[in-house]
Amino acid sequence: MEINRKLAILADAAKYDASCASSGTSKRDSVGGRGIGSTEGSGICHSYAPDGRCISLLKILLTNYCAYDCLYCVNRVSSNVARARFTVEEVVQLTLDFYRRNCIEGLFLSSGIIQSADYTMEQVVEVARVLREVHDFRGYIHLKTIPEASPELLARAGRYADRLSINVELPTVEGLHALAPEKDGQAIRRSMARLRIHIDDAKEAAKPLAPRAQTAVRPRRAAAPVFAPAGQSTQMIVGADATSDRSILTASASLYGAYRLRRVYYSAFSPIPDASRALPLAAPPLVREHRLYQADWLMRFYGFAHDEIVSADNGMLALDIDPKLAWALAHREHFPVDLNRAAKEMLLRVPGLGVKSVEKLLQARRIRTLRIDDVSRLHVPLKTILPFISVPGVGARNGLDDAALAARLKPAPRQASLFDAEPVHA
Amino acid sequence: MPEISAVTRTVSLAAEDDLPGFRRAARRLVAEGVVPEDVSWFVRSTAEADLFDTGRGVDGAVDPAPALMLPAFFAAGCQHAGLHADPGRFGLLYRLLWRLVHEPGLRHDPLDADRVAMEQMARAVRRDQHKMTAFVRFRPLAVPADEGEGAAETIHVAWFEPQHHTLRATAPFFARRFAQMAWAILTPERSARWDGRRLSFGPGARREDAPAADAGEQLWLTYYENIFNPARLKLKMMQKEMPRFYWKNLPEAALIQPLTALSAERSGRMVEQAASEPVRRRSAASLALRIEPAAMGVVGAATSLEDLRTATERCRACPIGHAATQAVPGEGPVGARLMFVGEQPGDQEDLHGRPFVGPAGQLLARAMAELGVERASVYLTNAVRHFKFEPRGKRRIHKTPAQQEAAACAHWLEEEIAMVQPGALVALGATAARSLLGRPVAVTAERGRWLGRADGRQVLVTLHPAALLRMAPHQFDAAFAAWLADLRLAFEGSAALA
């Protein structure tokens, strides 16, 4: 099969994986090396597809043949899609060529499971090895690891890759049993634990030595072994089964806590060509996916606990307002927040104020009293913020007790379209 | 070199990105006490250079003005804002500089209007630089063989139109990234070239000077076309990050319109299409891999330690197992003279799948070392097999297992005792003591003496090492000594029992 056709099939097969970030790895460049490539900490999105998602890495499958029969997956064994398989060398050349053109930041390689977990993983690792060792490629590499692969292969993968990921796919055991009967939740967690141990050990080894009494003799040491410097991540499919947002966020909190994941990606279950009979076909719940990302953000950067974001009633996030505003509307007793006196934790809970804005307010209020003009200069949504804050010159409880406040702050209703449909339940 | 006219206070800079010139002139002007309102800033184009070059300027080669002590944010902001396309940028930067020198409070105020304006310009420039690192598209150009010795065979050339004067500032990024590749970036204002050793800048160029699309670029278009999911059209989001301004120089941008136009139809077809019957039969491998939910419930008695491990792993008699990574089995020799029983695995034990490897385990190891006992000579296990925790922030906080959960686990411990046949047992903490003795035990009251079990085995109760770790530093030494005494008794007693 010619390469163009293979690329079409194997890029198409990879498009349902949400993760594409290329950030958070160690800084390096190709000066003094034999090859090309650099990473400077923050990732670069080299293009954007019309679905609004960034294209940062060449995201492809080594092959879309797969022995598994995960019902939500277009590559499952019982799917009738066209199949293809790249050779190791083809992936290496494609990566280098796209990289030289500056189209990509690196490679994100995944694969269907063929022959055995170890065989598949070996092939995936081999691509990374050739890129690193033969071509001295210093760009970003993200490998999807096969949870059932041997610990030795996981350890090798971590030496070549910037990031490793294992998709949990479904947040509950019941969901896995029903939709991905070959996927072993235990094996997934065990692999994540192994990766965390490797990552922790590498970080520990890289720590500077404690100063010794003999300052004249500087201890020399070999460079610490690097293991997946950009950490590990995972993906959950949203809307393929009946799991509530509360269960999803609880699962995420547990994954962040247990395995120190850098990111949990939420991928709205998407209609796929040649779908399985066992799944309802419907438009993807994109708004729900968006709300989950916002809620995830609140957990990671705003000090929210996983169990306070979702309201008590049905376990689902509101679709019409963002979760921070929803929390504030439901907890008006904590507001208004005095911009000049409130603690940072409370400022972070004001809808519309971001982490950076809060930093600026804290800095400025050390030297003078904040006024409403200061808030305007932050370029934040004043209409949303005003009811929740108090600053000199703004009437106290500015409409905060208004029963219609929620309605006032909701975005104007739009004609419902395919792209903001209700969540789908299996 | 910047020239400052004595009469009009007109500064004319050598180029749009002549930031060193701006800095020198600004320092001079501040030293001379020239207020911002009296300065006008120009950038010399070739023609203007003739027009304004009156010879009354100051020789910039000498730099008599003293350096100014300025806050770091200004230096950083100036470096970027100075490259903004707005002709008023130098006026703004000088005004802010002047104010920073004369208004002491200003450096602490991130919300001052001038400072906010500078930061905004700086942000626009940084964004433009970032977009250049993203959207420059190189195309290979074969270099004729007669270019001379050592010349690269291919040079990668790109045409790019920045929104601000950012080429000179961004080119080093490409030199670091493509250190072993000859490349050139052409822009209307300036061009940059890297030959593998040195970065050089030349005059501006025209779009036609860059090579046209080649066969390799078709592969990129194929990729772009196929990585797009038609069921998720979000054009606004895309335009926010990839503004139309840049589209004319991105080869893939030509595909946006056709892909968009087809997407509703393509995704609609997927939704409407009935599910198909698989053409291929499921492979035997796939069926063999299937994990049967039935095998995951409560499990019957095991006959060997290995069996016990597998069975415990599958146990879901209580909900703890769902969230934990793995069941943590006991570890040590069969027939060990002592079996230590803890409460449950902790964070580290859960990750490693081995008992007593975390901080509490290390304390136990320290105690054994002080007593001269090999860790490998004793059997270590827990009353509860899975880690019970509560996610809090980025940590898992240990939660004491409920009595029911400990009870559900008790049979695993009993089977393990029956297989290991230890000489005696040490219960570390209340949960272990309760599981071993079958009644609630007040550890502080009953610690340090041998208690009999129903099966006739002797149990010595003491604190769990984690309890020692939670103590205030001033209490620790005494508590550790007392704990050590308990453990010594256990080892001596078990020797006597043996």
Side-chain angles (χ1 to χ4, degrees), chain B residues 121-207:
Chain B
M121 280 191 183
R123 202 173 320 129
V125 168
R126 278 196 300 266
R127 180 174 156 94
D128 190 44
Q129 284 193 270
H130 184 78
K131 293 300 177 200
M132 190 189 293
T133 63
F135 298 152
V136 152
R137 291 284 181 269
F138 287 114
R139 286 167 174 168
L141 182 70
V143 178
D146 57 350
E147 277 281 287
E149 209 58 18
E153 286 165 20
T154 323
I155 176 166
H156 280 75
V157 184
W159 168 251
F160 191 72
E161 295 170 52
Q163 286 189 300
H164 303 286
H165 309 290
T166 44
L167 179 65
R168 195 196 285 270
T170 321
F173 165 85
F174 291 98
R176 291 191 294 274
R177 166 155 295 190
F178 298 109
Q180 313 306 321
M181 177 177 116
W183 56 261
I185 300 173
L186 315 179
T187 79
E189 186 176 286
R190 196 188 286 292
S191 60
R193 194 186 160 99
W194 171 260
D195 60 6
R197 288 177 298 275
R198 214 172 61 88
L199 193 57
S200 54
F201 295 93
R206 292 166 311 145
R207 192 186 188 138

Side-chain angles (χ1 to χ4, degrees), chain A residues 74 272 275 386:
Chain A
V74 68
I272 46 175
L386 272 184

